[in-house]
Amino acid sequence: MTAELETDHPAAAIAEAVALKGVSVAYGAATVLSEIDLVVPKSQFLAVLGANGAGKTTLLSVLAGLVRPSAGAVRLGGEAAPREAHRRYRRGLAFIGDDRQIFPKLTVEQSMRLVDCREEPRELFPELELLWQRRVGLLSGGEQQMVALARALAAHTSIVVVDELSQGLAPIIRDRLLGQLRTAASGGTTVIVVEQAVDAVLTVADEGVVLRQGRIIDHRPAADLLNDRDRVVASFLE
Ligand code: ATP
């Protein structure tokens, strides 16, 4: 189910995939997210940028239903999102956290059988063919991230949310993963990624948001942010 946006955002004519409305999160006395308003249209690739501790993981966790906001609401497909993460997953939102959501003792094949693959995962990542019977716990970090992304994308998840996509991975692997996510977004999947490699992610993203101390301080087309790259990075690091 989709709904028209209620904002005057340039993408307002496009169906909403997921949205945060006035979302705040507090851990005890510490406010970690403050009144976040964010609408992510269907098929958009959104990069989430910000310094350590800015609230990026918390924002993704709120989207996924893993952290409950102290105020505000989350919408999925234009409707109130179900509270629990597993219900959001069933509604098409997959979250890949920094543990990459792997089951180390399962083989790659068994990992894929956990979900209803509508597409052959090895077509998305032919690299997995040679690893198909290997236990996921024995794979490299990059291969594990391919398993995680292949599982989400082959199941035709409509929204893929990835935290620290390329943490610890070589640039060539990072670019491979970003490229596959770009292809997925162009094919209709909504992609939301936290990624430290600012230039690499802004090169493939449609839009970027910059978080600073729990607030969105910038939200623009990725190409604009990339043109303004040094100022953007300084704005969240200062
Ligand atoms: P990083 O890039 O370092 O992962 P981040 O932008 O993802 O940072 P978050 O992990 O969302 O930031 O954390 C935002 C703030 O909330 C930080 O100050 C962090 O210490 C704090 N925080 C996160 N989780 C908790 C928690 N469960 N209890 C208390 N404080 C928390």
Side-chain angles (χ1 to χ4, degrees):
M1 170 123 8
T2 58
E4 295 302 306
L5 301 181
E6 300 164 1
T7 71
D8 55 3
H9 193 274
I14 303 170
E16 172 184 311
V18 66
L20 300 178
K21 287 280 156 192
V23 162
S24 297
V25 172
Y27 291 119
T31 300
V32 173
L33 288 181
S34 296
E35 294 166 21
I36 299 285
D37 282 317
L38 178 65
V39 175
V40 187
K42 216 173 155 224
S43 192
Q44 180 172 99
F45 189 138
L46 178 72
V48 180
L49 309 174
N52 290 335
K56 304 180 298 296
T57 297
T58 307
L59 187 145
L60 299 197
S61 304
V62 170
L63 286 174
L66 298 168
V67 166
R68 203 142 289 153
S70 37
V74 182
R75 289 206 308 253
L76 202 51
E79 298 176 339
R83 276 163 70 97
E84 299 89 352
H86 69 276
R87 289 188 205 282
R88 290 188 195 176
Y89 177 74
R90 274 196 230 136
R91 293 267 300 272
L93 187 153
F95 173 70
I96 301 171
D98 57 7
D99 63 355
R100 299 183 172 138
Q101 260 71 17
I102 57 155
F103 296 93
K105 297 211 165 147
L106 298 187
T107 64
V108 175
E109 181 182 21
Q110 289 164 339
S111 302
M112 297 304 165
R113 286 222 195 109
L114 293 175
V115 299
D116 176 17
C117 285
R118 301 189 195 168
E119 198 175 339
E120 171 52 62
R122 286 167 285 189
E123 279 177 19
L124 293 165
F125 287 103
E127 297 92 330
L128 296 178
E129 179 68 49
L130 284 173
L131 308 168
W132 202 239
Q133 297 304 333
R134 200 168 299 173
R135 287 186 181 199
V136 173
L138 299 176
L139 302 181
S140 71
E143 290 162 349
Q144 289 177 351
Q145 193 64 302
M146 282 182 202
V147 170
L149 292 188
R151 198 169 50 203
L153 297 175
H156 285 198
T157 306
S158 51
I159 306 169
V160 179
V161 177
V162 192
D163 196 9
E164 301 288 2
L165 175 76
S166 75
Q167 194 171 40
L169 306 183
I172 191 168
I173 304 288
R174 175 198 69 211
D175 292 344
R176 170 86 180 97
L177 300 173
L178 284 170
Q180 201 60 51
L181 286 171
R182 175 65 262 169
T183 303
S186 299
T189 307
T190 305
V191 174
I192 303 173
V193 169
V194 167
E195 170 58 51
Q196 299 292 345
V198 170
D199 300 73
V201 73
L202 289 180
T203 301
V204 296
D206 297 305
E207 292 199 1
V209 291
V210 181
L211 280 177
R212 188 176 169 211
Q213 295 174 357
R215 292 182 186 274
I216 292 179
I217 59 165
D218 207 344
H219 183 181
R220 276 188 277 165
D224 280 11
L225 290 168
L226 196 55
N227 281 336
D228 213 6
R229 185 238 185 249
D230 290 347
R231 207 138 36 113
V232 167
V233 171
S235 76
F236 65 73
L237 290 182
E238 71 196 11

